[in-house]
Amino acid sequence: MGIRGLMSFVEDHSNEFFTDLKLRDTKIVIDGYALFHRLSFNSNLELRYGGDYDSFADIVQNFFESLFACNICPYVVLDGGCDISDKKLTTLKDRAREKIQMAHSLSVGGSGYVCPLLIREVFIQVLIKLQVCFVQCFSEADRDIMTLANHWNCPVLSSDSDFCIFDLKTGFCPLNSFQWRNINTIKGTQNYIPAKCFSLDAFCHHFSNMNKALLPLFAVLCGNDHINLPIMETFLSKARLPLGATSSKGRRHHRILGLLNWLSHFANPTEALDNVLKYLPKKDRENVKELLCGSMEEYQQSRVKLQDFFQCGTYACPDALNLGLPEWVLVALAKGQLSPFISDALVLRRTILHTQVENMQQPNAHRISQPIRQIIYGLLLNASPHLDKTSRNALPPQPLAFSEMERINKNIKTSIIDAVELAKDHSDLSKLTELSLRRRQMLLLETLKVKQTILEPIPASLKLPVAVSCYWLQHTETKTKLHHLQSLLLAMLVGPLTAIINSPGKEELQEDGAKMLYAEFQRVKVQTRLGTRLDLDTAHIFCQWQSCLQMGMYLNQLLSTPLPEPDLTRLYSGSLVHGLCQQLLASTSVESLLSMCPEAKQLYEHLFNATRSYAPTEIFLPKGKSNSKKKRQKKQNTSCSKNRGRTTAHTKCWYKGNNRFGLLMVENLEEHSEASDLE
């Protein structure tokens, strides 16, 4: 984020550049991207199992409750899609490679920081639940944050070193010194959060009363997310940058200190820039000057007035308006009802598929959800004629082509994917919201290859996850086993259990059963965190499921939610799902787990019955029979789908550990298997 090395440099001079704050009774503008990363990585959360979203949601809630207790009014500003100019592409690729290396490290028992796939969506759901004001910018949010904070004369909360460059009236509070877990009290009545505030005046004073206007040039010379010109090494090697009296720490701090001391000798940016260019070959000067000036503009006031959005609900971004996108799309993006993934696909015809803690030896987990993305791309094909010029810069001239940045082994690659051409009434994005609920729901379920009747017994909040699970089960490359499906469905019970426990109208017996089952789930979750080794194949299978859920949600959002959006905060907990897998493989049965809570048992049966007819039949067979069937199928080259869903409800059950909820009635399956042998 921002200028690498600058944050640690200013923190090394904390006594000189920072003032202590007792933060209370104020508005504060929060960098949402920085906050959810900070809370993910600095709260002792488990990152190997694909996300403990319930624990993360609790931490986010605790954070904002601390602000409320001190009468601090938060306004969260989230980054949107990639910049139209695509100038951060190199930085994005570098970060994608770093993320792959960290994901690999986590997958083999090492350390690393990789945000779970759905962390942003969970964060937004918590903001909505707590009624915290937030906005999603059309592209990068830094300038909009600075402009809003100056308009309201309030501080910014972030961890991005770019905020050491912006001229903020009330200053910048770094997240790592924001002690929200340590609320203090003045005179026993007034709560406050201890914090530190970066002082730009003190910073410039330290460097010979340097002109603040020189700092954007310092940022681009030092190298930030937007610019990193190799030719600038020529200037840095020739300029003999003065270090001054202050000691430096490492090569990066050495460069920062030298640049600041050198720039402090100039009265203004024009004079300083002219002196920079003197060190470069004449043939390069004009081009470099144009690039540097363009990058320095990123530190100027934004034309977007976020206060209008927070006060009146209107979001006007000139860059977005110039693209001629439908009004409903712009509103949905600003409200976080559409993901930045959608705006990237719209504007650049390029998307980034984020790596998870998965098996690096296998194809990346997002391959399974590619057909869903192709439908999304099909819906976005004809959004606006103004987009053609923009997106064609990133792609060869192919009318249906979108590019995807994805993991290949332990590196990144850009693949070209064709959108699916849809019916005429689905191909006009501006009129997509005018389609009837039935038509939109039909398109969603057809994409997921699920019949609507299957979902009828399912609670509204779980219809989309169940439909996605049916899609996931139909793809044989997932190598899903029975205990994987069982674990996922059991974890989906957490939300309904919480509702039973918190419902005042429930009988004591029902509530006690729900509490016992919930406590058992928590025990499994804690036990899993205490050193259970990661099963890479299982992790990969659940990463595939999360990818399906993510893309299923994005398609559902684009179609204006024909199915209710699920509560992700109580839908999937990686530690719980992996722990249940281990228990089901060992000795525990689904029936014994659910015996303490009849309501949960009934819901599980509905979930299982909805998904089982979409699963390959062999996952329900005893292990020996499953293996022999696979051999027969390989010999005859027949598809397992022939036998799908051909059982009856009253045939004899085969029991394993008294577990009748995870196994289909195999007597009929064996008959079908023998019949196909005869064929």
Side-chain angles (χ1 to χ4, degrees):
M1 295 292 293
I3 302 116
R4 290 194 176 185
L6 180 59
M7 205 69 230
S8 60
F9 176 80
V10 297
E11 285 171 348
D12 278 357
H13 300 79
S14 179
N15 292 335
E16 297 164 79
F17 301 154
F18 289 87
T19 56
D20 290 327
L21 278 187
K22 295 177 179 178
L23 207 65
R24 61 186 176 89
D25 304 323
T26 182
K27 291 177 179 175
I28 191 167
V29 181
I30 300 176
D31 178 348
Y33 179 90
L35 177 61
F36 73 69
H37 277 79
R38 175 80 186 177
L39 296 180
S40 293
F41 299 152
N42 293 81
S43 303
N44 195 33
L45 291 176
E46 178 56 70
L47 298 173
R48 293 178 300 158
Y49 298 117
D52 285 349
Y53 295 126
D54 51 350
S55 301
F56 174 72
D58 291 342
I59 288 163
V60 175
Q61 180 163 334
N62 292 341
F63 173 86
F64 284 105
E65 285 176 348
S66 292
L67 300 190
F68 300 151
C70 300
N71 197 30
I72 298 170
C73 185
Y75 291 85
V76 177
V77 183
L78 290 157
D79 289 325
C82 297
D83 190 270
I84 296 170
S85 67
D86 219 14
K87 54 185 167 237
K88 282 184 70 171
L89 181 58
T90 301
T91 300
L92 291 171
K93 286 183 175 180
D94 289 342
R95 286 185 185 157
R97 291 187 186 96
E98 289 171 7
K99 190 173 181 180
I100 289 169
Q101 295 308 314
M102 285 193 283
H104 174 65
S105 174
L106 283 166
S107 73
V108 295
S111 60
Y113 297 103
V114 177
C115 266
L117 189 65
L118 300 172
I119 203 84
R120 181 191 179 98
E121 282 71 30
V122 173
F123 182 68
I124 287 175
Q125 286 190 352
V126 178
L127 296 181
I128 293 169
K129 176 187 172 186
L130 298 177
Q131 297 183 322
V132 173
C133 296
F134 75 96
V135 65
Q136 181 174 273
C137 296
F138 189 67
S139 55
E140 191 164 343
D142 290 2
R143 291 173 67 192
D144 297 346
I145 290 172
M146 178 265 288
T147 305
L148 178 64
N150 281 345
H151 177 80
W152 280 341
N153 203 27
C154 69
V156 167
L157 184 64
S158 179
S159 56
D160 189 338
S161 57
D162 277 332
F163 290 103
C164 295
I165 305 299
F166 288 118
D167 189 3
L168 291 161
K169 292 178 183 177
T170 316
F172 152 53
C173 298
L175 274 162
N176 60 358
S177 56
F178 189 74
Q179 299 178 50
W180 64 272
R181 289 184 172 97
N182 183 30
I183 293 178
N184 288 356
T185 306
I186 302 171
K187 299 176 183 177
T189 57
Q190 297 175 321
N191 294 334
Y192 70 88
I193 294 176
K196 290 188 178 294
C197 185
F198 177 75
S199 169
L200 194 62
D201 289 333
F203 183 74
C204 290
H205 178 75
H206 182 83
F207 293 98
S208 308
N209 287 317
M210 179 183 185
N211 183 351
K212 292 178 186 178
L214 288 162
L215 289 176
L217 179 59
F218 157 73
V220 298
L221 290 176
C222 211
N224 62 9
D225 287 350
H226 298 288
I227 188 168
N228 194 5
L229 294 174
I231 199 169
M232 295 317 300
E233 294 298 325
T234 305
F235 155 70
L236 293 166
S237 63
K238 292 180 179 179
R240 295 183 181 179
L241 303 177
L243 289 178
T246 311
S247 63
S248 62
K249 184 176 77 176
R251 184 172 178 269
R252 199 173 291 280
H253 284 196
H254 186 282
R255 173 176 293 189
I256 288 169
L257 190 59
L259 267 174
L260 288 167
N261 279 314
W262 185 80
L263 285 169
S264 68
H265 292 99
F266 301 105
N268 55 62
T270 303
E271 182 186 349
L273 184 56
D274 288 343
N275 274 273
V276 169
L277 297 174
K278 286 178 184 177
Y279 291 96
L280 304 181
K282 287 184 179 180
K283 64 182 177 64
D284 296 320
R285 289 177 186 175
E286 276 306 310
N287 186 37
V288 170
K289 182 178 181 179
E290 185 180 342
L291 287 169
L292 291 176
C293 288
S295 294
M296 288 164 64
E297 281 294 315
E298 296 298 324
Y299 295 95
Q300 303 308 310
Q301 196 92 345
S302 167
R303 292 183 292 168
V304 177
K305 297 179 179 179
L306 290 183
Q307 64 270 22
D308 291 346
F309 177 81
F310 288 123
Q311 291 165 357
C312 314
T314 56
Y315 179 82
C317 171
D319 287 341
L321 292 172
N322 291 339
L323 294 172
L325 294 172
E327 176 68 17
W328 78 266
V329 172
L330 295 178
V331 171
L333 284 168
K335 291 182 176 180
Q337 294 166 351
L338 288 177
S339 164
F341 175 92
I342 299 296
S343 57
D344 283 349
L346 263 174
V347 175
L348 299 173
R349 285 216 179 180
R350 188 198 66 234
T351 56
I352 299 170
L353 307 179
H354 296 287
T355 301
Q356 304 175 73
V357 181
E358 56 193 86
N359 190 337
M360 300 293 165
Q361 306 297 318
Q362 293 189 34
N364 83 73
H366 292 290
R367 289 287 178 90
I368 186 176
S369 59
Q370 182 179 301
I372 306 175
R373 292 195 298 279
Q374 288 177 288
I375 297 294
I376 293 174
Y377 300 152
L379 291 168
L380 302 177
L381 266 178
N382 302 308
S384 166
H386 300 282
L387 290 172
D388 289 342
K389 295 177 184 177
T390 308
S391 57
R392 290 293 180 266
N393 293 335
L395 281 174
Q398 302 172 35
L400 300 178
F402 286 73
S403 64
E404 295 182 338
M405 194 190 301
E406 60 176 346
R407 176 188 68 80
I408 301 290
N409 297 320
K410 284 189 264 182
N411 209 332
I412 59 166
K413 177 188 175 184
T414 299
S415 304
I416 304 300
I417 305 297
D418 279 346
V420 170
E421 286 193 85
L422 300 169
K424 190 175 180 180
D425 56 349
H426 291 147
S427 61
D428 186 347
L429 188 63
S430 64
K431 295 180 179 177
L432 193 57
T433 53
E434 298 173 16
L435 289 177
S436 68
L437 172 63
R438 181 178 167 278
R439 295 288 300 281
R440 288 180 282 118
Q441 195 174 90
M442 191 183 301
L443 177 58
L444 174 65
L445 295 180
E446 283 177 357
T447 303
L448 299 177
K449 302 175 185 175
V450 176
K451 292 179 181 178
Q452 189 171 358
T453 52
I454 289 290
L455 302 177
E456 286 174 0
I458 307 300
S461 62
L462 293 177
K463 286 184 187 294
L464 183 60
V466 167
V468 163
S469 300
C470 292
Y471 172 91
W472 167 73
L473 285 167
Q474 292 174 73
H475 287 74
T476 54
E477 67 265 36
T478 60
K479 301 176 183 176
T480 308
K481 301 291 190 294
L482 177 60
H483 60 280
H484 298 136
L485 174 60
Q486 291 173 317
S487 302
L488 270 177
L489 299 182
L490 285 168
M492 289 183 193
L493 301 177
V494 171
L497 284 174
T498 307
I500 294 171
I501 293 166
N502 295 329
S503 175
K506 292 292 178 185
E507 295 178 11
E508 191 174 329
L509 192 63
Q510 290 175 309
E511 191 178 319
D512 287 348
K515 284 180 179 177
M516 288 170 63
L517 182 56
Y518 184 85
E520 175 61 17
F521 283 166
Q522 294 307 305
R523 187 196 65 76
V524 171
K525 187 177 165 186
V526 170
Q527 189 176 27
T528 307
R529 291 200 59 179
L530 297 176
T532 304
R533 186 178 177 183
L534 181 68
D535 182 321
L536 262 185
D537 289 334
T538 293
H540 199 82
I541 286 165
F542 290 137
C543 286
Q544 290 172 318
W545 181 83
Q546 281 211 67
S547 177
C548 294
L549 180 61
Q550 182 189 49
M551 293 306 156
M553 284 184 64
Y554 290 171
L555 177 58
N556 191 50
Q557 290 171 349
L558 189 57
L559 294 171
S560 302
T561 57
L563 292 181
E565 187 155 300
D567 178 6
L568 296 174
T569 67
R570 297 291 182 264
L571 181 72
Y572 179 90
S573 169
S575 295
L576 174 60
V577 171
H578 280 257
L580 288 169
C581 269
Q582 293 294 324
Q583 289 208 0
L584 292 171
L585 273 176
S587 59
T588 307
S589 69
V590 174
E591 185 175 51
S592 63
L593 261 177
L594 298 180
S595 61
M596 61 188 81
C597 185
E599 282 185 305
K601 174 181 168 184
Q602 184 180 34
L603 176 55
Y604 177 87
E605 286 179 314
H606 287 316
L607 300 178
F608 184 76
N609 288 336
T611 53
R612 69 182 186 183
S613 58
Y614 289 91
T617 51
E618 62 265 24
I619 80 168
F620 302 107
L621 290 170
K623 191 172 182 181
K625 292 183 181 293
S626 178
N627 290 339
S628 64
K629 183 180 177 187
K630 283 181 184 176
K631 289 175 184 176
R632 290 196 298 269
Q633 285 178 323
K634 189 173 182 181
K635 186 178 179 181
Q636 297 178 17
N637 194 25
T638 58
S639 170
C640 67
S641 62
K642 289 175 66 176
N643 299 322
R644 205 173 284 167
R646 293 166 62 182
T647 60
T648 63
H650 303 291
T651 49
K652 181 181 175 182
C653 291
W654 179 81
Y655 286 79
K656 177 184 176 184
N658 293 325
N659 175 11
R660 62 189 175 90
F661 295 123
L663 297 163
L664 276 174
M665 300 67 181
V666 276
E667 188 175 79
N668 272 17
L669 290 176
E670 290 168 11
E671 289 173 8
H672 292 318
S673 187
E674 289 164 9
S676 52
D677 282 347
L678 294 172
E679 290 168 14

